[in-house]
Amino acid sequence: MAKKKNEHVIKEVYPGSIAEEMEIEPGDVLLSINNEEIGDVFDYRYLIKDEYVEAVIRKPDGEEWLLEIDKEYDDDLGLEFENSLMSDYRSCSNKCIFCFIDQMPPGMRETLYFKDDDSRLSFLQGNYITLTNMKERDIERIIRMQLAPINISVQTTNPELRCKMLHNRFAGETLKYMQMLYDGHVEMNGQVVCCKGVNDGEELVRTLDDLAGFLPFLRSVSVVPAGITKYRDGLFPIGLFTAGEAGEVIDLIESRQQGYYEEYGLHFIHASDEWYITAGRDFPEEERYDGYIQLENGVGMMRLFINEFNEAFEALLDSPEYETLAETLDRTLTIATGKLTGPTIRGFAEQLMRAFPRLHIHVYDIRNDFFGETITVSGLVTGQDLIRQLKERKEAGEDLGGALHIPSNMLRVGEQVFLDDVTVQDVERELNMRVVPVEPGGNEFIQAILDKEYNMERDNGNFVYIQAYDRGGEA
């Protein structure tokens, strides 16, 4: 029997769940809940929030079951569907002047060229959306279901300029949806992708002043510089910010934070880490990040990393195992990272080598030849750049050791594959080194260096350095 619209094939039933108890199985089809058709994942989540639920399931032989379910109000049924959104993805209708996908080289896998602008991914994955794909009924549904937070890519509150930046004549009008969400008490976060000579300067001042009017339901706004690759032929000309210009952006943001904090208990506007690195300034203290609301947007990531490393390093030095480790730890390894974080990682490595005299750590900032040297984040380092540049080091006679540590964000989530489809196994074969992906965080950074058999899936979040050198052997 062909599956119709609003019918959802069940991919997995979680062990011990309500669904397993009701004898629902993978391959069954969910037809309705409480006599309501299910348009997407938000309809589903909204409809199951009750103490009594009626679900209609169709079995593979065509038989339909009406299941009456008594449960706690917030209990999940324990189902996973073939399509996680339970409907088609919505692609982006804009052609933003700063769009990173438009700056991608040809010949990469097809999925990397898909531009999403789907509000549901904002809630499920933290994506930032422009609101241009939405209608008033979509906003009303968000308010009715109290879905939050919604992450909004604002860029500017100047309607005419927003139309220009997004290359969409309706982009200015959709700013009214922020007012609707504010009136509906829906929690929001905002983002401004700053393009030199376009929405910076006085335009940025206007945008920040306008967005402050949505406090306290707009909880945070990040200002991030546009990412510029070498593939911009025929695209809108965007320049790089100088150190002085980056400092001006920081000064504008920091001059307002205290006032917002005194009135709302939030510093509200945050400069991403790139601004501080470009300007050559220290990162703000932890308290100014309001609990790291926009960590995944590159806001406060370095401050959190530094604080976690310092705390873990002090705990290590104070531990009863330190003296033994300092005498027995004997290894050479390499850490590869992006140019943005290189100086910080190098400083951490130097501290560890002073504490462990026979520990040798090489830290290499991988130059991004694939996208261009203007791209400096580790998450966009490709496998081919990694192989080529480290091979050059080896050919020059440098001893890189037996292990290559990389931040886990160089790989696709849940896979051993780099952005350019080079695999971890390819790198290991080419360099004759064990590749060790390391989860972000100062604790994990130290743990991976001290434990020759570190595995991020096994050891994430747990110190295992006490046992690390009882096993013997070189990495």
Side-chain angles (χ1 to χ4, degrees):
M1 185 181 296
K3 181 176 76 71
K4 300 177 182 177
K5 184 179 179 182
N6 297 332
E7 296 182 359
H8 307 284
V9 178
I10 295 165
K11 175 183 177 183
E12 184 177 352
V13 177
Y14 299 141
S17 66
I18 293 172
E20 183 181 59
E21 183 182 343
M22 302 301 295
E23 299 183 9
I24 299 174
E25 298 175 324
D28 292 350
V29 178
L30 177 63
L31 301 179
S32 68
I33 291 178
N34 296 340
N35 206 32
E36 297 273 354
E37 288 192 346
I38 304 157
D40 63 14
V41 64
F42 291 141
D43 286 342
Y44 170 73
R45 291 189 174 185
Y46 182 70
L47 289 168
I48 66 172
K49 276 188 172 294
D50 210 334
E51 294 177 352
Y52 175 77
V53 171
E54 291 185 354
V56 177
I57 298 290
R58 187 176 66 227
K59 305 300 272 185
D61 63 3
E63 183 180 3
E64 293 187 2
W65 290 7
L66 172 62
L67 304 177
E68 299 178 342
I69 303 169
D70 291 302
K71 65 182 189 66
E72 297 295 324
Y73 180 82
D74 284 327
D75 280 354
D76 188 53
L77 299 186
L79 296 174
E80 185 175 323
F81 298 92
E82 285 189 349
N83 182 332
S84 60
L85 287 184
M86 303 175 74
S87 71
D88 294 334
Y89 285 82
R90 296 176 185 172
S91 61
C92 184
S93 58
N94 308 310
K95 191 170 178 58
C96 299
I97 62 173
F98 52 84
C99 180
F100 193 85
I101 294 176
D102 288 341
Q103 303 177 71
M104 297 269 276
M108 302 184 72
R109 62 181 180 274
E110 186 176 345
T111 53
L112 291 176
Y113 299 103
F114 178 76
K115 301 180 184 181
D116 76 74
D117 194 21
D118 198 311
S119 62
R120 294 162 300 185
L121 294 178
S122 180
F123 302 108
L124 296 174
Q125 300 177 10
N127 294 18
Y128 279 76
I129 60 168
T130 65
L131 303 176
T132 57
N133 258 345
M134 304 185 74
K135 307 295 183 186
E136 283 197 19
R137 65 176 180 271
D138 298 316
I139 302 298
E140 290 166 354
R141 185 172 75 142
I142 289 171
I143 295 170
R144 173 170 56 87
M145 295 182 176
Q146 280 297 293
L147 299 171
I150 181 169
N151 299 322
I152 302 170
S153 201
V154 181
Q155 319 325 353
T156 176
T157 54
N158 178 336
E160 293 77 19
L161 180 58
R162 194 167 196 257
C163 290
K164 175 184 176 181
M165 290 190 70
L166 274 59
H167 208 261
N168 184 329
R169 62 193 178 97
F170 301 108
E173 296 176 19
T174 54
L175 287 170
K176 67 183 180 183
Y177 295 152
M178 292 190 71
Q179 185 65 52
M180 292 177 63
L181 293 166
Y182 172 83
D183 293 338
H185 295 188
V186 173
E187 183 178 323
M188 299 173 275
N189 295 301
Q191 171 187 264
V192 174
V193 177
C194 206
C195 300
K196 184 175 177 177
V198 181
N199 62 333
D200 56 348
E202 290 304 312
E203 287 293 348
L204 182 57
V205 171
R206 168 181 172 163
T207 296
L208 298 183
D209 285 343
D210 288 346
L211 292 177
F214 296 119
L215 276 160
F217 298 112
L218 182 60
R219 304 287 293 172
S220 69
V221 174
S222 61
V223 180
V224 303
I228 308 297
T229 81
K230 64 183 181 183
Y231 299 98
R232 288 198 61 83
D233 291 345
L235 300 178
F236 188 94
I238 300 177
L240 297 172
F241 287 92
T242 65
E245 290 164 343
E248 291 173 5
V249 172
I250 293 170
D251 291 339
L252 169 62
I253 290 170
E254 291 189 342
S255 69
R256 293 157 181 260
Q257 288 180 324
Q258 187 59 33
Y260 297 135
Y261 185 75
E262 290 173 359
E263 186 170 358
Y264 297 101
L266 294 167
H267 292 86
F268 182 53
I269 299 172
H270 306 277
S272 66
D273 293 354
E274 297 103 309
W275 298 110
Y276 290 94
I277 294 171
T278 301
R281 297 192 186 182
D282 290 338
F283 302 105
E285 64 279 9
E286 185 171 51
E287 291 72 24
R288 266 201 280 154
Y289 286 108
D290 296 337
Y292 299 109
I293 298 176
Q294 295 216 20
L295 191 65
E296 298 303 320
N297 213 14
V299 177
M301 193 171 290
M302 294 305 298
R303 169 52 63 200
L304 180 61
F305 191 16
I306 291 167
N307 286 3
E308 287 179 345
F309 175 87
N310 289 337
E311 182 178 339
F313 186 67
E314 289 175 12
L316 174 62
L317 296 183
D318 290 338
S319 71
E321 292 79 19
Y322 168 64
E323 294 294 338
T324 302
L325 281 171
E327 293 175 1
T328 58
L329 179 59
D330 184 1
R331 73 182 305 207
T332 298
L333 61 91
T334 292
I335 299 174
T337 186
K339 285 184 172 291
L340 195 68
T341 57
T344 300
I345 299 298
R346 197 167 291 107
F348 290 166
E350 290 169 358
Q351 284 183 254
L352 285 166
M353 287 189 289
R354 285 194 295 270
F356 298 93
R358 289 191 287 175
L359 173 64
H360 303 283
I361 305 173
H362 301 283
V363 179
Y364 295 119
D365 310 344
I366 301 301
R367 183 183 65 253
N368 202 317
D369 295 329
F370 189 87
F371 287 110
E373 292 188 45
T374 54
I375 299 299
T376 57
V377 296
S378 60
L380 292 175
V381 169
T382 59
Q384 58 191 270
D385 282 346
L386 190 68
I387 291 170
R388 183 171 56 254
Q389 292 174 43
L390 291 184
K391 266 190 173 181
E392 291 172 357
R393 299 282 185 173
K394 279 196 159 192
E395 291 167 358
E398 297 183 30
D399 177 14
L400 305 187
L404 170 61
H405 290 201
I406 62 171
S408 60
N409 67 356
M410 283 188 187
L411 305 176
R412 290 160 61 182
V413 175
E415 299 184 38
Q416 299 283 295
V417 182
F418 291 83
L419 190 63
D420 57 348
D421 287 335
V422 172
T423 67
V424 165
Q425 291 73 27
D426 293 334
V427 177
E428 290 181 328
R429 183 180 61 254
E430 292 290 331
L431 297 177
N432 193 27
M433 300 173 73
R434 175 186 172 223
V435 175
V436 183
V438 181
E439 286 282 23
N443 183 64
E444 288 75 16
F445 179 86
I446 294 176
Q447 178 185 332
I449 289 173
L450 298 184
D451 184 354
K452 296 174 185 176
E453 298 182 23
Y454 170 87
N455 180 297
M456 72 178 186
E457 293 182 358
R458 183 199 70 200
D459 298 333
N460 184 25
N462 301 307
F463 257 123
V464 294
Y465 64 79
I466 295 173
Q467 306 101 307
Y469 295 94
D470 293 339
R471 294 190 288 270
E474 179 57 42

